[in-house]
Every structure is written in C-alpha cells, then in structure tokens.
C-alpha cells in the first residue's frame, strides 16, 4: 500500500518512513505544503499521513483544497496540537482520522491499516478467499489452516490482490500502489513478486488462486469462484 | 467575620448615644435649673406671703394686747378716782377758791401717771407649760415697764428714737430680734395712745362698731380691745368724730395736750405651737410641700421625657441607619453577586459598572479591567503552554518513533548507531528548546537577576562573531564586524551576548546565497550605544514584522539551518533588551534585507 507522509521534521519523517516501509508500505515523503499538495494531486495514494504545521502551506488548507477538488484519499492527520478544538477542526476539514504527537508507532500502523481497509470497503480485518485467510491486523496468511510466511512486499502484494479479489489488477496498478517514487527496480519486478507469491500460496495447494490474465494483469480468484461477483474496490 | 452593616450600626449607635447624652445632659441641666429657680421663687413668694400674714396676725395680736393694756388701765379707774378724791381733798384747804381745775394738762398727766399700770394678765399670753415662752410681751410707758414672764429677765429694748413719733401718734414697727437665749423672734412694736379717759363713765356703755376680724381675747376686754384697734383713726388727735361717752383727748382750741402713749412690744417665735401661727405655718408648709412636690414631679417628668426622647431617637436612628446602610450596601451586594458569577471559563463581569454609584464604580471598573487583563494573560498562558507542548511534542514524537522503529527488529550495529545518533540529536534539540523556554519563564517570573558590569562592547561583539562567522561562511555569506573604537559600557554582558547571538543567527538563517551579515556598534551623542545587525537576507513583509517578537512565531518554519527554530529567538531578544533598559527597532524590506537596531543607555 502506498502512503504519502507529509512531515517537516526530518528526523521524525525519516524514522516514520523506515517504520512504515518495514511494514510493507510504500512511502512517499513530502516536507512542505507545496510538495505535499503536488504529490497528493498527482498520485493515487492509499492513505496520506498529514502533519498540520507545515512550511509554506498549512495542513488544514491542503486538506480542504483536496476535499473541495473531489479528492477522497483517506487522510490521517498527525499533529502536535492535541486540543479537542484542534481535533474537531481537523476532522471537520475532511480528515478521516486524527493522531496527536507523540504517538505509538503500533497505533499509527493500526489506524493506517484500518483506513486502507475502509478504502476498499472491507470491515472484517480477516479476508477469506476460498481456503485462504489473510489477517490484515496481524499481517499473517494461512491457507487450509496452514500458516504461510510472506515477506512484507509479498504480503502487501497478496493483500492488494485480495482487496481486489475477483477483479483484474493491472501491473501498473500494482506498481503504483506497492512501490514508492524512489524505487528504481526493474520493470518486471511485479512479475517476480507474483512468482514468489505463487510459490508460497498456490504451489502446495489447489485450486490455484492467483490467475494470470494475459495482456491485462493478475487476478485473485473470487470468494465463491464463478458464482458470486467479487467485491469491487475503488478504482485506483 | 466583620459585618459592615453591624460595624456602621455600632459606630452610629455609639455616636448617637454620646451626642444625645450630651444634649440631654445640657437640656436637663438647663431645664432643671429653670425648674429649681421657679421653685425657689414660688417658695420665696410663699414665705413672703406667710411673713405678711404672720405680721398681720402679730399686729392684730399686738393691737389686742394694746387694747388689753388700755382696758387694764381702765379697770384701775377706782384707784384713779380714789387718787383724784384724795387730791381733791388735799387741795380744798389750799385753794380758797375751792375746787382747783383738774382738767388741765398737768393734772391729766398726773392722774394718768398715778392711775396707770400697764399690766397685762399673764393668762392672755400664749405660753406653754413646758417650753419657753413663744410670746413675749413688754409694755413701756413713760418710764414704767411691764414684761411678760416669758421674757424672764430679758428686756425687749428698742431705740425709741427710731420710732419717730408721728402725727398719728399710733404706729407699728416690725423687726426681728435675737433673744439672749439665741431664739429669733419677730417683734412688733405698737405705739398706742391711751385713749380712754372717763372718770365716771363706764367703758361697757360705749359700744363702738366692732371689726369682725378682731375677736376679743376675753369678754371682759371687748370694748377696750375694740377701741384700741388700729388703724381705727377715730381716736386719733385729728379725728373729729367722737362717739359715745368717750371724751378727751380731744384737741382743744387752745393748743390742748398730747395723749399719753405707750409702746407695746409683742414678739413671736415662728412656732406652730402658737395657735394663731399654726394655721399660717401649716398653710405655708403645705404650699411649700406642694411646690416641692410639683417641682419634683416636673423634674421627674423632664427626666422621663428626655429618656423617652433619647430612646425613641436612638431606636428611630438605628432603624433608619439599618435601612440606609442596607440601601448603601446594595450596589456592593450586586457587585459581589456579579463577582460570584465569574468563573474560570468566563472572566466577564456580568454587570455594567456605570450602573453603580460613583464610590463603587472605580472598583467595578478596575475589576473589569483586571479581569480582562487576567483573561488575556490566561489566554497567553494557554497559548504559550500549547505552543510549548507543540514544540516539544514533535521532537518527542521523532524520538519515540526512532526508538520504536529501531527496536522493532534486530538490526546491524551501524543501524543502531545511526538511530542512537538521531536520538541524541533530537534530545539536544529538545534541551535547547527547554532552555530557551526556561530563559523566558525566568525572565517572566522575575527570578532572572541582571548582573551589570563594565563591558567592552567591541570584545563582546567579536566574541559572538567568532561563533557566527563559521556558520555564515558555511552558507557562503560575508560576515563583517564594525566596531571602530573601544566602547566601554555598563550592562549585563550575558544578556547582551544572547541578544547579539540571536540576531546574528537570524541574519545568517534568513539570508540569501552570496549575502552579507554586518554587526556594528557606535557611541551615540547622549552617551549610550547603538548596536546594529544588518543582513541582505530575504527580508520580512510588514504583516510578519508585527509578529516577529511574539513567542513561537516563525516567519518561515522550514528554515532550520542554525538549529534554533522554535520561534523564541526574537522573543528573547525583545525581553532582554527591555530588561537592559534599551530600545529595539527593526526595519526590513522583502528581498533586500533586515536591520535590527538596539539602543542601550550607558548605565542600567
């Protein structure tokens, strides 16, 4: 999942970015209001972590601008202002969640995951597709009751496919949501990760859940095979 | 707790009691004096009246006694006749012509002398068997005296010349006498003529008109007593009316003769044992008693009137004061109610001070003002603490996040070193921030003491410049210090250094590539110094210029080159320049640069 981290304190931004990346998030960083505005408007992020006290452009102003422009990316406001009035003002300006500094990294991650689930209209933190079960909270995967260990990137890919299960996901979508702006991996990196994932998810089990749609992309099998229509995620 | 109302009431009460007490005292004294004066006058009047009546009674008595004397004379008529016949018989052989005329003056005189004995019957006199006499009578004639036994051996002498014989030949004289035994008596002296010379006529044949108010002491002396009454002038020498058988002494055409007279002294002691005086004394005493009682009653009534008046006045005043003080305190009550409505959330005084009376108005206005200031101070405090917490929270968040990220999994030594290094940097930043906040807090609290000493300004500035210069050169800026000659100044060097340091930091941080920073100091004409820090930096817009000295204000929060970026630097500069007694001014143009000027007086 790709998030935009808007934070002007460099040390905090660096640590936070590291923490998020280690959790499998693709993180873009913006250090001032203008940069944040530009990135948010040009890229479809799964979520934005927004500090309110920013050089050049205030966080709330940015948020209002995005909302009035029809941008509905989920925004988690992260600020040192902890007053109730500030919270209310932040939420009323269109924020989806609010977290005051200093915060627990775990809480930030949990809230961020919840926001992303909400973005795909999923409420149950455990996604179940056939005998595959993905615990988005614990970031663990089981198939037929057997635990499968995935790297953060593999997990992120599976999760992304699961959010769109029953629907074709293009390579560029995967690229756009799972790799950040600085990633200079080779172009077939998505295919490489799909192969890793198939080895772990489908190799020892039947039926294969990750399907390849030639010329389009990949698809995780729908929940009830062909009979039910899969939940439709937002077109990202 | 002291009650204003009670205190006022007690004071008014005390004042009232004292003043009313004084007034009533003087009123009482004056009125009582008047009453006593009236009493005295009335008593005197009674005494005078009593004296008059006593004198009248005494004179009546004297007249009676005089009549008695005359009647006694008359009773010895036999003796006179005897004497006359003896004289006649004796003269017959001597005078050949026979019977000598015995009607001449000498013969009359002689016969009177021989036949008269001015004696009174003691029984007619008032005496008490035990007490000494209270009626003292003495009759005096041509050399003969008769004294009542009550007089014992005393003599009621008098200067007869003082009793000038008048034409009337009968007169009375009153005076007081002190008897040798110390008794003071009232005496009347009656000078009465011997009027009855009837050689053969019997006195009971003559019955002249009687006065009703002079009853005779005894039946036997009725006639004579009446005849001797004074001031019946019938018997006076000038009287032409003669009635009955009474004959001489009628003045004869040939010059006639003077009636023989006698004096009767009658003296009374003022004693109720005297039956004639008793009613008078009783009457007098009753009157006096009535006057005294009347006066006492008046005084009592005066006293009670005054007491009631004072009590009434005190009660009325207390009630009035109670009400008035209540009315007077009403605005205070309203004010206190209004004050009780003030809460930490609402500092507004819920009343219009103009509706209060002028005495309380300033209190309410001052209170309103103080509350406004307090609220402003509260707001400032709130904002400051919010700012402080905000400024501390961001590095704190960075610290915790760095630590949490570092601890999430096993990392290489190099990674841990990097994390620890970051943490140290953050901690340093925080401690720096805390230090600056404390600086301001100390200054606000007044615990920050100035330590003025002799300072060489050039040295101070170049000392600061040695720190600033490398920073400036890092950014490719030109750094110049311009202190042409030594300037000695009396000031607190630490604070001044802090001021200059902050200004230099700002000048470097908000500069433009290839810009310059210049610090200069010079002596002003009035003996102070002018310190200037100029830069060719980005400058500030006027709306920012207004706010730069506010705490936690940052013109551009992204500038963090010098590491000091909490928005406290200029706040500290302003605070310190104020403390040093200096004046701080700033000029700035966007894109051209900024110039801070500090004017310091030479002495603190």
């Amino acid at each position: 999942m790709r998030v935009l981290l808007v934070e002007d304190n460099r040390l905090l931004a660096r640590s936070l970015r590291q923490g998020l990346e280690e959790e499998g998030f693709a993180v873009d960083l913006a250090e001032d209001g203008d940069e944040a505005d530009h990135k948010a408007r040009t890229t479809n992020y799964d979520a934005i972590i927004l500090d309110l006290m920013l050089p050049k452009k205030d966080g709330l102003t940015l948020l209002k601008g995005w909302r009035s422009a029809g941008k509905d990316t989920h925004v988690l406001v992260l600020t040192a202002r902890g007053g109730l009035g500030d919270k209310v003002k932040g939420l009323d300006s269109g924020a989806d969640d609010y977290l005051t500094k200093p915060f627990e990294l775990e809480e930030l991650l949990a809230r961020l995951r919840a926001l992303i689930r909400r973005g795909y209209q999923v409420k149950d933190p455990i996604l179940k597709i056939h005998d595959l079960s993905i615990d988005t909270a614990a970031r663990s995967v089981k198939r037929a009751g057997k635990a499968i260990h995935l790297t953060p990137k593999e997990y992120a890919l599976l999760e992304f496919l699961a959010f769109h299960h029953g629907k074709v996901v293009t390579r560029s979508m995967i690229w756009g949501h799972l790799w950040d702006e600085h990633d200079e991996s080779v172009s077939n990196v998505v295919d490489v990760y799909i192969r890793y994932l198939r080895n772990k998810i489908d190799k020892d089990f039947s039926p294969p859940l990750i399907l390849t749609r030639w010329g389009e992309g990949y698809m995780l099998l729908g929940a009830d095979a062909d009979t039910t229509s899969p939940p439709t995620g937002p077109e990202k | 707790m002291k009650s204003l109302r009670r205190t006022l009431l007690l004071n008014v009460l005390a004042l009232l009691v004292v003043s009313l007490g004084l007034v009533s005292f003087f009123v009482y004294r004056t009125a009582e004096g008047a009453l006593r004066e009236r009493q005295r006058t009335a008593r005197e009047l009674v005494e005078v009246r009593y004296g008059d009546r006593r004198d009248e009674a005494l004179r009546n008595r004297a007249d009676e006694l005089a009549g008695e004397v005359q009647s006694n004379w008359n009773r010895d008529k036999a003796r006179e006749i005897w004497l006359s016949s003896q004289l006649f018989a004796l003269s017959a052989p001597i005078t050949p012509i026979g019977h000598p005329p015995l009607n001449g003056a000498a013969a009359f005189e002689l016969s009177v002398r021989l036949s008269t004995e001015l004696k009174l019957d003691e029984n007619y006199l008032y005496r008490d068997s035990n007490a000494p006499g209270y009626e003292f009578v003495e009759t005096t004639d041509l050399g003969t005296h008769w004294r009542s036994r009550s007089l014992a051996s005393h003599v009621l002498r008098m200067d007869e010349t003082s009793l000038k014989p008048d034409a009337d030949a009968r007169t009375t004289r009153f005076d007081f006498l002190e008897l040798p035994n110390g008794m003071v008596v009232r005496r009347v002296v009656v000078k009465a003529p011997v009027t009855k010379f009837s050689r053969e006529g019997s006195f009971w044949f003559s019955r002249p008109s009687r006065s009703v108010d002079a009853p005779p002491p005894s039946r036997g002396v009725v006639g004579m007593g009446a005849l001797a009454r004074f001031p019946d002038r019938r018997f006076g020498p000038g009287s032409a009316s003669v009635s009955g058988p009474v004959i001489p002494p009628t003045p004869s055409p040939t010059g006639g003769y003077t009636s023989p007279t006698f004096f009767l002294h009658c003296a009374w002691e003022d004693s109720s044992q005297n039956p004639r005086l008793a009613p008078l004394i009783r009457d007098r005493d009753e009157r006096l008693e009535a006057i005294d009682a009347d006066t006492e009653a008046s005084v009592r009534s005066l006293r009670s009137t005054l007491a009631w008046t004072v009590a009434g006045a005190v009660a009325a005043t207390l009630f009035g004061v109670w009400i008035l003080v209540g009315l007077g305190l009403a605005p205070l009550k309203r004010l206190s109610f209004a004050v009780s409505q003030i809460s930490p959330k609402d500092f507004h005084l819920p009343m219009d001070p103009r509706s209060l009376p002028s005495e309380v108005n300033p209190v309410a206005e001052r209170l309103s003002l103080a509350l406004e200031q307090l609220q402003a101070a509260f707001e400032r405090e709130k904002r400051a603490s919010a700012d402080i917490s905000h400024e501390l929270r961001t590095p704190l968040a960075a610290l915790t996040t760095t630590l949490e990220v570092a601890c999430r999994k096993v990392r290489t030594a190099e990674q841990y070193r990097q994390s620890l290094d970051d943490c140290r940097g953050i901690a340093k930043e925080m401690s720096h921030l805390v230090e600056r906040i404390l600086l301001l807090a100390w200054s606000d609290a007044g615990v920050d003491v100035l330590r003025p000493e002799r300072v060489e300004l050039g040295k101070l500035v170049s000392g600061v410049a040695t720190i600033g210069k490398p920073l400036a050169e890092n950014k490719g800026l030109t750094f110049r210090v311009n202190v042409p000659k030594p300037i000695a100044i009396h000031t607190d060097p630490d604070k001044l250094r802090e001021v200059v340091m902050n200004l230099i930091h700002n000048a470097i941080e908000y500069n433009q590539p290839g810009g310059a920073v210049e610090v200069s100091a010079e002596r002003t004409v009035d003996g102070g110094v002018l310190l200037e820090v100029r830069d060719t930096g980005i400058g500030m817009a006027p709306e920012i210029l207004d706010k730069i000295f506010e705490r936690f204000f940052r013109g551009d929060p992204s500038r963090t080159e010098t590491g000091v970026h909490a928005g406290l630097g200029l706040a500290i500069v302003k605070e310190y320049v104020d403390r040093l007694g200096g004046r701080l001014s700033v000029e700035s143009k966007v894109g051209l640069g900024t110039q801070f000027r500090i004017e310091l007086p030479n002495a603190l």
Side-chain angles (χ1 to χ4, degrees), chain A residues 7-20 22-23 31-32 51 53-56 79-83 100-106 109, chain B residues 386-387 389-391 393-406 408-409 411 415 418-419 422-423 425-426 429 554 556-558 560 565:
Chain A
E7 171 61 61
D8 64 328
N9 185 297
R10 283 178 188 173
L11 283 170
L12 176 60
R14 201 167 77 193
S15 303
L16 204 51
R17 181 179 190 164
Q18 189 186 352
L20 288 170
E22 284 172 8
E23 282 294 307
E31 286 191 342
D32 64 51
D51 185 18
M53 290 280 285
L54 288 172
K56 292 179 184 172
T79 180
R81 294 201 183 277
T100 46
K101 295 175 186 174
F103 50 86
E104 297 281 330
L105 187 61
E106 285 304 332
L109 292 172
Chain B
D387 284 340
S389 69
H390 175 258
E391 291 303 325
R393 270 172 173 165
T394 301
L396 208 57
L399 193 65
T400 53
T401 307
T402 306
L403 290 172
E404 275 178 48
V405 167
R408 274 175 87 82
K409 58 183 185 187
R411 297 175 191 279
Q415 281 171 325
Q418 180 60 45
S419 293
D422 288 350
C423 287
I426 295 166
E429 187 189 327
R554 279 194 274 169
D556 181 358
S558 66
T560 56
H565 53 96

Side-chain angles (χ1 to χ4, degrees), chain B residues 176-247:
Chain B
F176 284 101
L177 271 186
E178 190 178 353
L179 296 183
N181 63 359
M183 188 184 284
V184 176
V185 293
R186 179 68 167 170
R187 177 179 68 168
V188 64
V189 181
V190 176
K191 182 183 174 189
V194 178
T195 52
K196 184 92 177 179
F197 294 98
S198 169
R199 250 171 279 176
E200 52 274 305
S202 162
F203 66 88
W204 55 82
F205 289 126
S206 69
R207 299 189 66 88
S209 63
R210 280 180 56 197
S211 178
V212 279
D213 57 345
S218 71
R219 204 173 165 265
V221 293
V222 165
M224 286 317 290
L227 280 175
R229 271 195 72 251
F230 182 83
D232 193 343
R233 289 173 171 253
R234 227 183 313 178
F235 306 105
S239 169
S241 103
V242 178
S243 67
V246 179
I247 26 169

Side-chain angles (χ1 to χ4, degrees), chain B residues 298-496:
Chain B
S298 294
V299 169
R300 265 200 309 278
S301 132
L302 173 70
R303 231 179 267 152
S304 73
T305 305
L306 278 176
W308 280 112
T309 308
V310 167
V314 166
T317 311
L318 282 191
F319 181 71
V321 167
W322 181 260
I323 300 285
L324 284 179
V325 168
L327 281 177
L329 289 180
L332 278 183
K333 242 182 191 166
R334 266 164 52 216
L335 183 62
S336 97
F337 176 76
V339 169
S340 73
Q341 300 296 102
I342 297 168
S343 70
K345 284 186 180 165
D346 184 12
F347 279 70
H348 175 65
L349 190 67
M351 79 181 313
D352 185 7
R354 279 170 301 180
S355 71
L356 290 170
S358 60
E359 290 86 351
V360 192
N361 189 15
V363 177
E365 273 180 357
R366 283 295 309 162
L367 191 65
S368 272
L369 195 68
L371 283 171
E372 271 168 33
Q373 289 169 343
L374 201 61
Q375 185 156 31
F378 242 65
E379 294 297 327
R380 264 203 313 278
E381 277 307 301
K382 259 162 78 179
R383 213 176 55 226
S385 65
D387 284 340
I388 289 169
S389 69
H390 175 258
E391 291 303 325
L392 284 174
R393 270 172 173 165
T394 301
L396 208 57
L399 193 65
T400 53
T401 307
T402 306
L403 290 172
E404 275 178 48
V405 167
C407 292
R408 274 175 87 82
K409 58 183 185 187
V410 180
R411 297 175 191 279
T412 65
E414 178 56 29
Q415 281 171 325
Y416 281 132
R417 203 196 59 77
Q418 180 60 45
S419 293
L420 284 176
D421 212 35
D422 288 350
C423 287
R424 197 186 61 188
I426 295 166
K428 205 169 151 191
E429 187 189 327
M430 284 174 78
S431 97
H432 192 84
L433 183 65
V434 167
E435 222 166 82
R436 312 212 114 204
I437 291 168
L438 276 179
L439 272 187
L440 283 171
W442 280 334
S443 195
D444 285 347
V447 290
D448 177 29
V449 185
L450 285 181
R451 289 186 186 78
E453 56 184 69
R454 200 109 187 118
V455 180
E456 215 294 288
L457 198 58
K459 270 189 192 165
L460 188 139
V461 171
S462 53
V464 178
T466 36
I467 303 169
K469 205 165 182 175
L471 287 171
E473 280 163 359
N474 267 356
K475 280 193 78 175
L477 305 172
T478 318
F479 194 95
R480 275 195 303 274
V481 176
N482 182 20
V483 186
K485 49 190 171 186
I487 300 172
I489 177 176
H490 195 68
T491 191
D492 185 326
D494 294 337
K495 293 202 164 39
L496 188 57

Side-chain angles (χ1 to χ4, degrees), chain B residues 23 37 105 123 174 269 272 280 313 316 427 560 564 594:
Chain B
V23 167
E37 182 62 29
N123 289 329
F174 290 95
E269 184 196 0
S272 53
L280 300 185
T560 56
V564 184
T594 308

Side-chain angles (χ1 to χ4, degrees), chain B residues 80-95:
Chain B
E80 184 228 6
I81 292 165
W82 179 78
L83 275 170
S84 294
S85 63
Q86 290 300 310
L87 280 172
F88 188 76
L90 196 66
S91 67
I94 300 165
T95 51

